[in-house]
Amino acid sequence: MERGAEQVKGQRTGATSDLGAYLRARRAQVTPEQAGLATAPGPRRTPGLRREELATLAGISIDYYVRLERGKETHPGPAVIDALARALLLDASEHRHLRELASRAAYAPEAPPAPGHTLRPQLMVLLESVRPNAAYVVSRTLDLLAFNPGALRLFAGLADWPPPRRNFARYAFLHPLARDVLDDWDEQARACVGRLRALAGTEPDAPDLADLVDELLAKSPDFADLWNRFDVKPHAPDPKAFHHPDVGDLHLGYESMPLEHSQKQRFVVFFAEPGTSDHDKLILLDTEHDELGSGTGDKSTGRPRRMT
């Protein structure tokens, strides 16, 4: 494993080091101007806020804050955490992540839960019921657990991988087609990392999470850069665009919903209004025995017909 991967892995091994690493990462991303501080003219050696500046903004002593970053203080109270969140300009999801890290620093974490790949039969019925819209179920680590035909084909090239490797973070960072297919690759990649980073705050010792993160750290510098930023913002519920090699461009609505009684699984659907060209393209992707499924496309070329 490369040095950068080892460094990040080391940050993930202890609850107190996780808290300190998160504080350092967020402090480096807030400028004095953003925090409303006046600064002396000339260059600054420290990116973002200095420790003493953050401590002042949060109303705590510099010694106490240094102990937090170094993992020597493990019981920060809710008022301290809230003050740090305000000083660091954290949004709601980032604030929640900071609370979870502080809680882990104070109390020993429970044994990691099972990966949760068992699917309830009702979910297969649900996936069928929304066709031709593309829908799938993912695990808490973004493993693809179940899907209808259009969902697997929407992410071009994903079907080429064996089922155990079908994971959306792995697809985003390691599949050669992902950056071409996903119109907002930067946003999708950031959100994948954010979901895994948030999970690491609550299940840092989960073997499946550790294996996936270590693989991506070793193989993708882009993943390592985002991982080191400690962002935990989820996907925005905005329409998504795809540049599909077989059916052309699609602009689809997007919803992602947690599933009750399913060990943090999520139901995700991409949809289009009936009668639109986007809906017609979803029908083509969804059809199991058309030219996309059988490989019998245009007779003159031998390739599937492309819709534009």
Side-chain angles (χ1 to χ4, degrees):
M1 183 179 298
E2 298 179 0
R3 179 179 179 85
E6 290 176 346
Q7 179 182 2
V8 179
K9 183 178 181 181
Q11 292 173 356
R12 207 178 59 247
T13 56
T16 55
S17 61
D18 280 344
L19 176 60
Y22 187 65
L23 289 171
R24 285 192 297 273
R26 302 312 303 184
R27 178 167 60 82
Q29 297 178 46
V30 179
T31 66
E33 292 77 15
Q34 290 173 322
L37 295 176
T39 59
R44 287 168 57 94
R45 294 180 58 187
T46 303
L49 295 174
R50 297 188 177 102
R51 290 189 180 94
E52 59 269 24
E53 291 171 336
L54 179 53
T56 299
L57 288 168
I60 59 179
S61 73
I62 178 60
D63 289 341
Y64 183 84
Y65 178 76
V66 169
R67 291 200 303 273
L68 278 175
E69 273 203 6
R70 293 178 176 175
K72 296 180 179 180
E73 171 56 56
T74 60
H75 291 80
V80 170
I81 294 303
D82 292 345
L84 287 169
R86 288 192 296 271
L88 291 169
L89 308 179
L90 302 185
D91 64 17
S93 59
E94 294 163 343
H95 191 168
R96 181 170 58 252
H97 186 61
L98 180 62
R99 288 198 204 101
E100 290 168 349
L101 292 176
S103 178
R104 283 190 49 240
Y107 303 101
E110 297 179 357
H117 283 203
T118 301
L119 287 167
R120 291 183 289 118
Q122 298 93 321
L123 297 179
M124 304 305 299
V125 177
L126 182 59
L127 291 170
E128 284 293 307
S129 70
V130 300
R131 295 175 62 183
N133 295 305
Y136 55 85
V137 177
V138 289
S139 73
R140 72 204 201 298
T141 55
L142 302 177
D143 289 330
L144 180 62
L145 302 182
F147 50 87
N148 60 26
L152 185 61
R153 293 174 182 146
L154 180 61
F155 294 86
L158 186 59
D160 298 335
W161 282 354
R165 283 194 56 77
R166 294 174 186 169
N167 173 283
F168 283 104
R170 185 181 286 119
Y171 177 81
F173 287 98
L174 301 184
H175 200 287
L177 292 180
R179 294 173 192 253
D180 294 329
V181 171
L182 303 175
D183 179 77
D184 59 342
W185 181 88
D186 290 339
E187 164 64 18
Q188 297 272 17
R190 183 202 57 76
C192 284
V193 176
R195 186 171 296 280
L196 296 179
R197 176 54 87 177
L199 184 61
T202 57
E203 300 180 30
D205 301 317
D208 56 336
L209 173 64
D211 290 344
L212 176 62
V213 170
D214 288 343
E215 176 190 355
L216 294 175
L217 286 171
K219 295 180 179 179
S220 173
D222 290 327
F223 179 88
D225 289 343
L226 288 170
W227 185 258
N228 278 324
R229 289 182 60 84
F230 283 77
D231 286 332
V232 292
K233 294 180 181 179
H235 274 291
D238 301 323
K240 308 296 181 185
F242 295 80
H243 306 294
H244 200 279
D246 295 318
V247 301
D249 292 348
L250 299 95
H251 297 83
L252 304 175
Y254 164 79
E255 289 292 340
S256 175
M257 297 154 276
L259 294 170
E260 292 188 359
H261 315 299
S262 296
Q263 295 185 299
K264 298 185 180 180
Q265 295 170 2
R266 299 188 70 84
F267 180 84
V268 181
V269 59
F270 293 91
F271 57 92
E273 184 177 352
T276 63
S277 61
D278 289 320
H279 192 261
D280 292 341
K281 294 173 185 179
L282 283 176
I283 292 174
L284 182 58
L285 290 174
D286 176 74
T287 304
E288 291 182 292
H289 301 294
D290 69 357
E291 59 265 34
L292 289 180
S294 63
T296 57
D298 187 291
K299 293 182 180 179
S300 64
T301 64
R303 294 193 299 269
R305 183 177 70 250
R306 179 184 179 93
M307 295 184 65
T308 57

